[in-house]
Amino acid sequence: MGKKKEKEIKLEDLTPQEKLKYEIAEELGLLDQVLEKGWKSLPAKDTGRIGGLITRRKKMLEKSQNASKN
């Protein structure tokens, strides 16, 4: 079996949600691994940490937006 050709990732062309995911991966020291081998190379523990941090940041963002509206 041949390897599937990976699509090159352009960090400037990502959606805000994707940017957040890559930022968190960088903060956790996982960005190099993701860029080299893809998201599938991460263990479930690391992807869970990323997902949890995304959720936490979204909640904080919503809270701050709601507070600024009031």
Side-chain angles (χ1 to χ4, degrees):
M1 277 191 217
K3 280 191 173 183
K4 195 158 101 173
K5 190 174 180 181
E6 292 289 325
K7 187 172 81 171
E8 186 178 326
I9 300 166
K10 294 181 182 175
L11 296 176
E12 61 276 356
D13 295 338
L14 299 175
T15 65
Q17 172 119 5
E18 290 173 324
K19 284 182 184 179
L20 179 59
K21 185 165 77 168
Y22 280 95
E23 286 173 17
I24 292 172
E26 183 176 28
E27 290 171 14
L28 297 175
L30 302 170
L31 184 61
D32 290 337
Q33 181 180 350
V34 169
L35 293 176
E36 287 177 24
K37 301 176 186 173
W39 291 104
K40 291 181 181 180
S41 69
L42 295 179
K45 182 178 178 181
D46 289 335
T47 55
R49 285 173 48 197
I50 291 170
L53 289 169
I54 288 172
T55 303
R56 186 181 305 163
R57 289 207 186 157
K58 281 184 174 182
K59 285 181 182 179
M60 286 174 35
L61 213 111
E62 288 173 6
K63 222 181 242 190
S64 67
Q65 287 176 348
N66 288 337
S68 66
K69 287 181 182 178
N70 294 334

